[in-house]
């Protein structure tokens, strides 16, 4: 769902200060407003959405900075997931489809998130820089990701022997 207001928005009051906005597609956003003034409510919603977006970016910022940083944290994630698999805490072997899963993650999450940061204007030129970096990393992953994945998977497996 989009965070922009479109058509009729359904709002309900949960309590004096917590409100829920139902977006297109059924997604809901909770935000806090202490006023019933429409402008204050819109400002509170914008702040809540921007804060949520910033937290999402902080979680995956390695994919919007540099190739080296992306590869470093990509391996750390793989090691964590592979360790859980080997210890029986997960049924999913992360090596299955790692290359394609990363491409899907860029297409479905990283690129749209970086575009949202650019569009928001909150970070000035940094938003555009993050978007360009994410696109460069994704493009490089398309070219080198199969090899990088294979090398990483083999090295991590060797570490677990």
């Amino acid at each position: 769902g989009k965070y922009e207001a479109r058509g009729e928005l359904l709002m309900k009051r949960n309590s004096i200060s917590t409100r829920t906005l139902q977006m297109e597609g059924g997604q809901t956003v909770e935000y806090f407003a202490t006023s019933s003034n429409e402008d204050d409510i819109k400002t509170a919603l914008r702040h809540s959405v921007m804060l949520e977006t910033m937290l999402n970016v902080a979680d995956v910022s390695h994919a919007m900075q540099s190739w080296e940083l992306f590869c470093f944290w990509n391996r750390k994630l793989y090691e964590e997931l592979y360790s859980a698999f080997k210890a029986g805490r997960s049924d999913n072997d992360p090596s299955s489809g790692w290359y394609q899963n990363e491409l899907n993650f860029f297409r479905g999450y990283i690129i749209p998130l970086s575009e949202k940061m650019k569009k928001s204007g909150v970070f000035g030129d940094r938003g555009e820089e993050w978007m360009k970096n994410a696109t460069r990393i994704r493009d490089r992953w398309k070219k080198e990701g199969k090899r990088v994945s294979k090398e990483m998977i083999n090295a991590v497996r060797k570490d677990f022997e």
Side-chain angles (χ1 to χ4, degrees), residues 3 51-61 109 113 116:
Y3 287 110
L51 182 58
E52 181 180 331
T53 301
M54 290 167 57
L55 291 170
N56 291 338
V57 167
D59 186 41
V60 295
S61 63
Y109 190 74
L113 185 59
K116 185 187 293 187

Side-chain angles (χ1 to χ4, degrees), residues 28 39 63 77 98 101 125 132:
T28 59
D39 289 336
L77 175 60
W98 188 264
N101 290 339
D125 293 341
K132 286 180 180 179

Side-chain angles (χ1 to χ4, degrees), residues 9-158:
L9 300 177
L10 305 172
M11 286 194 292
K12 67 178 183 178
R13 193 174 202 128
N14 290 338
S15 68
I16 292 177
S17 60
T18 304
R19 295 171 185 252
T20 302
L21 176 67
Q22 185 160 355
M23 309 302 289
E24 293 177 356
Q27 179 184 7
T28 59
V29 177
E30 274 193 22
Y31 63 101
F32 303 95
T34 56
S35 169
S36 59
N37 178 293
E38 197 64 32
D39 289 336
D40 291 344
I41 291 171
K42 287 179 183 177
T43 299
L45 176 59
R46 279 191 210 103
H47 289 173
S48 294
V49 168
M50 199 64 242
L51 182 58
E52 181 180 331
T53 301
M54 290 167 57
L55 291 170
N56 291 338
V57 167
D59 186 41
V60 295
S61 63
H62 67 282
M64 298 180 200
Q65 294 181 41
S66 71
W67 173 254
E68 294 76 18
L69 198 60
F70 168 73
C71 288
F72 175 84
W73 287 109
N74 193 30
R75 180 179 173 134
K76 292 295 184 190
L77 175 60
Y78 180 81
E79 289 172 348
E80 182 180 331
L81 295 173
Y82 190 72
S83 175
F85 172 69
K86 292 301 281 185
R89 294 188 314 272
S90 172
D91 295 332
N92 299 321
D93 180 351
S95 61
S96 176
W98 188 264
Y99 165 77
Q100 188 60 49
N101 290 339
E102 288 298 300
L103 279 181
N104 294 343
F105 191 57
F106 270 94
R107 186 187 76 249
Y109 190 74
I110 299 297
I111 300 299
L113 185 59
S114 68
E115 289 170 348
K116 185 187 293 187
M117 289 304 291
K118 178 187 176 207
K119 186 178 178 181
S120 76
V122 171
F123 293 100
D125 293 341
R126 289 282 186 194
E128 183 169 355
E129 181 182 339
W130 289 336
M131 189 182 78
K132 286 180 180 179
N133 289 344
T135 302
R136 281 188 204 111
I137 293 167
R138 185 222 34 222
D139 292 347
R140 189 165 175 185
W141 185 258
K142 283 181 182 177
K143 293 176 186 170
E144 299 179 40
K146 286 182 182 177
R147 177 190 53 79
V148 170
S149 294
K150 184 177 180 180
E151 291 172 0
M152 177 189 69
I153 288 166
N154 290 336
V156 171
R157 283 183 177 160
K158 190 174 182 179

